[in-house]
Structures are given as structure tokens and as C-alpha cells.
Amino acid sequence: MSCLLLSRLSRLCLRKPPALGVRGRYFCGSRFLSQTPIYRIVRADDCRYSSEDVSVGRLVVRNVNASEEKDEVLEKMVPADLMNGTIGGSHGWVATMDEYFVRLYDDLNPGASDSDPKRIVLGRPKTLPHCQTELVTNVAMSSSPEDEDCILAVKFLGPQLSFCRPAQQIRGYVEWVNIRIDDPCFFSSRVSYSERYKMFSMLASGGTYIGYWDPEKKDRSQNLSVCRSDLYTQFNQFEMQHTSNDCRSELLVEGPTGETFIVNWWAVFFRRFMVYKIDEYMGIHTASFTKDIGDVCIFVSSKGQPFCLKASLYGLTSNCIYYVSDRVSGKVSIRDNVIVGRLGRSSAPYFIPPQSS
């Protein structure tokens, strides 16, 4: 189909593209020894006021890699506000926003320092005419915000998409670049980062096409045509009558070897998932329904940036989706949509991906 991506989406030119080199890792058995396990944030326990008159509590997590998942109460103290006051998370960091600032925290990362947590305070993006910056769809980052070339993207509900380099703030100044998106198909979309294309991407509502923004070259954008002809063919009549588009999340996620998946997530009624794999042939991109993604597992959350891992490297269940929201969470088999494990709900719905130790 003919796909139109706004030229304005590409009118942002930052100095150079993100450098996402692979860090040194040492393989032993089924995991990389230099990386931490995958954690799911559960809650903060024993909350009390600290010496700074800020409510803090002990971080409670679950190790997703463990053979028997159970709550682990850590000695690590975290701000209680981070349990319900975040606007998104990426690369083990979470973000908050108030009237004046966007703040990045590594407090919820179990592997981060307890005594010396890292916080990055950024000025709030300017609101473009006829846009709003009160409601945030999500945030995404190209890498850790401590990296010199990291780019942070904040997607607001509606037309505005804002970018900055957090490392500039560490040096004392940060500049936001704000883009107004004219195509309403992107107004409720979530932004993500594609390591394959080195660009930020957004899936249009309905999954009919994907918009890409290139931070390196001015006036360059790319649109991939995506065929979704079999979107609802796997639904029975009862599900079609009782499933609303309002409770569906459409997520774009890249696999560990560069493949791209679209995940449809109905979280309210059925906790139903449908996965589509995007294939490319002679420049044509099609999304085909699949029940088998191989030795891969997908992590999705209602606020965090989704990610994929090679299951056998981390002792995880292959061909599964691990999911968490403020209402439900668990693990589901992509092959038959059967829940094969339950993780419990979370007030801070985030997975912390493996971190270099």
C-alpha cells in the first residue's frame, strides 16, 4: 500500500549517530558472566522518610532467570515515588517529568549503586503550537544516558516527538529538538529505537506501516510498507465481539539478530498476544502472523521499551513473551497463547534488561 511519512519527521540533524558498539562479554555455560540477570520490578517495601525528607523503601524484585521465581527484598533503598510516578523506562533507567524537568534515574536497577545513585536532570521540552506535553506515550533511548552519543526520545500523546542528548546535560547544557508529526496514525504510537537501522521508529496505528527517523542525515526518512492482511484471522467470533481496540497495545521490537516483530497485546480481557514477523524481500516488507520465533523471548511492559533476548543464553523459555503492566503480568507461550507461568502484578511495570557488571 502507499505509505506517507511526514517529511517533518526527518528534519532533525544531531551531530552524529549513536555509537552502539558491543561491549566485552565472557560466555560460560548458558549466560554471559559479565551480565546481570533480568529483573522485574515488584514494589518498594518498608517505606519511610529518609534524612532528606523523601519517602524511600527497600526495592523488591524478581529474578526472571531463576528456576523458581519469588520476591527478593533487597537492601537497596529507592524513592517510593518511582513506584507510580514514572513516564517510561529504557536500558535500566526510568524517567519522570514535572512542570519544569525531565529526570532520569538508575535507582530501580538492582545492579546500580545504592549509596551513589545516578540521576540526570534535563530541562522540560518546549510545547509546540497545537500540541500538548502533559501526557506522555513513552520514552526510548538509543543506549545508556551516560553514553556520549545516547539520544533520548520522548513521545507525547498527540503530534509532538522530542529528542535530546542527555550527555550534554552532564556537561551543563542540553538542547531539545521538537518535531510536530502531522499524520494522526502516529499520535498514540510508542517510539522505540532500532539498532538495525540506527534510527528511532514508530508503528502507525493499526500496524499498516512504520515510520523511521534518522538522527544522522538531514531530510532523510524512510517508510516501510507492511502488509497486515491476516491481522484478525486467528480470532474466533466470540473474541472479535468482546475485544476492543482500546485495550490493545501495538509494540515494535527487534530480535537479537536484527529481525523485527510486531506484538499485539490485549491486556484487559484475554491477555492475548499475536506476533507478526516482518520479512523483507527486494525492498518489500510484509508482516506475517507467526507462532514460532525460535530461540527467542520477548519482554514487553506497559511503560518500558520492549526488548528481545536469545533464550538459551539466559536460561529463559524460548518462543515466549514475558509481560508486565500495573494490572497483570506473566509469561505466555507464543505457540498457543497459554500462560505457562505467572509473575504477579507490579506498581512499577518494568523489566530491567541484562546489565554489564
Side-chain angles (χ1 to χ4, degrees), residues 18 20 88-95 104-105 120 122 138-146 150-154 164 166 191-195 200 305:
L20 297 178
S90 178
H91 291 276
W93 292 67
V94 296
L104 303 177
Y105 300 78
I120 301 175
L122 309 169
N138 78 308
V139 301
M141 289 187 285
S142 59
S143 59
S144 167
E146 295 179 291
C150 171
I151 301 176
L152 165 68
V154 180
C164 78
V191 65
S192 60
Y193 183 76
S194 168
E195 293 192 17
F200 286 92
Q305 183 171 314

Side-chain angles (χ1 to χ4, degrees), residues 8-62:
R8 294 185 185 181
L9 190 60
S10 63
R11 293 175 186 170
L12 175 62
C13 183
L14 299 178
R15 290 193 296 269
K16 55 183 177 178
L20 297 178
V22 178
R23 299 177 179 177
R25 294 174 292 181
Y26 301 91
F27 182 74
C28 179
S30 62
R31 287 190 57 242
F32 291 114
L33 290 181
S34 62
Q35 291 188 336
T36 62
I38 303 99
Y39 289 102
R40 181 177 71 81
I41 305 304
V42 178
R43 63 184 182 273
D45 271 359
D46 189 26
C47 292
R48 59 183 182 272
Y49 284 98
S50 68
S51 58
E52 300 176 352
D53 202 30
V54 176
S55 179
V56 296
R58 286 188 173 85
L59 181 63
V60 182
V61 299
R62 284 196 177 190

